[in-house]
Amino acid sequence: KQEVTQIPAALSVPEGENLVLNCSFTDSAIYNLQWFRQDPGKGLTSLLLIQSSQREQTSGRLNASLDKSSGRSTLYIAASQPGDSATYLCAGRFMDSNYQLIWGAGTKLIIKP
Amino acid sequence: DTEVTQTPKHLVMGMTNKKSLKCEQHMGHRAMYWYKQKAKKPPELMFVYSYEKLSINESVPSRFSPECPNSSLLNLHLHALQPEDSALYLCASSQDPNQPQHFGDGTRLSIL
């Protein structure tokens, strides 16, 4: 059974710092991995999607990596801003999960001004 | 602004009521999804409608029933809900089941 884990559950950093959010998964037969952002009471915004054949994807201040052999993905946020405060979720799509998304529990990020 | 539109944004209903949640997308996507999300938890997949076929999460009770009138619309009919069904209901769509999913803003449902 595929599992996706995000540690820590919460993270608080001062504004301006670079930070890394972690996502680990148990099944190396991953098809792709998607990072989302969720503001309180809102829907999910897709940030980046990395295919299994890729190692990195970048969008603005965000960079996501994928390492299938170690079962890890990271989301790097450069020069953090208070507006980056949200819950970040990763979700993997695996060959044996009928391509349904398997979700991590999320990391709640607080950027202190 | 999201390209997946959900209505209503908020819904309060009694346990004996019948209501429907609506979801619409105009991106030409061939797959649409309903998720349930409780506070501080990730979304749980309820239904997938893909290429005119419906897939159901077997743990979803029959008081929830999806309907797909056309390729742009996916409704969720609610009947005789329980207080534990109070949650954020999210709709998503994707070009096909292997492509990125795009989410609506959700409907906040409260059962009295």
Side-chain angles (χ1 to χ4, degrees):
Chain A
K1 179 185 173 186
Q2 295 90 0
E3 290 185 4
V4 176
T5 305
Q6 292 183 252
I7 296 173
L11 181 64
S12 179
V13 300
E15 179 180 5
E17 282 197 5
N18 303 326
L19 62 99
V20 174
L21 303 180
N22 297 303
C23 174
S24 59
F25 47 91
T26 55
D27 186 353
S28 61
I30 188 167
Y31 187 76
N32 57 41
L33 188 136
Q34 198 167 354
W35 280 94
F36 295 89
R37 168 191 171 133
Q38 187 171 32
D39 293 291
K42 298 289 189 179
L44 289 94
T45 301
S46 179
L47 298 174
L48 289 163
L49 176 118
I50 314 179
Q51 301 290 352
S52 60
S53 57
Q54 299 173 319
R55 295 212 34 112
E56 285 189 0
Q57 278 287 318
T58 298
S59 175
R61 294 184 293 111
L62 305 180
N63 176 280
S65 69
L66 179 66
D67 184 339
K68 290 188 296 182
S69 61
S70 66
R72 289 190 63 205
S73 176
T74 61
L75 180 67
Y76 173 83
I77 303 177
S80 58
Q81 304 169 358
D84 295 329
S85 298
T87 296
Y88 291 80
L89 296 104
C90 65
R93 192 175 280 105
F94 300 88
M95 311 290 188
D96 293 336
S97 66
N98 200 25
Y99 300 102
Q100 292 181 12
L101 288 174
I102 308 298
W103 294 83
T107 294
K108 183 176 181 179
L109 177 64
I110 297 172
I111 306 298
K112 297 174 290 186
Chain B
D1 287 342
T2 179
E3 296 174 339
V4 177
T5 303
Q6 290 188 242
T7 55
K9 294 190 184 305
H10 303 275
L11 179 62
V12 179
M13 56 187 287
M15 289 190 283
T16 58
N17 292 154
K18 284 185 182 181
K19 295 285 185 183
S20 297
L21 308 185
K22 297 185 184 300
C23 176
E24 188 171 12
Q25 58 88 13
H26 292 291
M27 296 179 280
H29 288 174
R30 299 298 302 273
M32 296 184 74
Y33 313 79
W34 277 111
Y35 289 88
K36 173 185 178 181
Q37 188 180 27
K38 301 286 273 186
K40 299 184 181 181
K41 298 287 187 182
E44 299 172 45
L45 183 65
M46 301 175 73
F47 304 102
V48 181
Y49 199 86
S50 174
Y51 292 98
E52 301 175 5
K53 281 190 175 179
L54 177 66
S55 299
I56 300 171
N57 181 338
E58 293 179 358
S59 66
V60 175
S62 59
R63 54 187 183 264
F64 295 91
S65 59
E67 178 205 11
C68 195
N70 59 58
S71 59
S72 300
L73 287 170
L74 184 64
N75 299 324
L76 184 63
H77 300 303
L78 317 173
H79 174 55
L81 295 194
Q82 302 298 307
E84 62 264 28
D85 297 323
S86 298
L88 181 67
Y89 287 82
L90 294 164
C91 176
S93 70
S94 63
Q95 198 164 9
D96 66 48
N98 298 328
Q99 296 302 314
Q101 293 183 19
H102 300 266
F103 283 78
D105 286 336
T107 294
R108 174 71 61 188
L109 178 64
S110 298
I111 307 301
L112 301 178

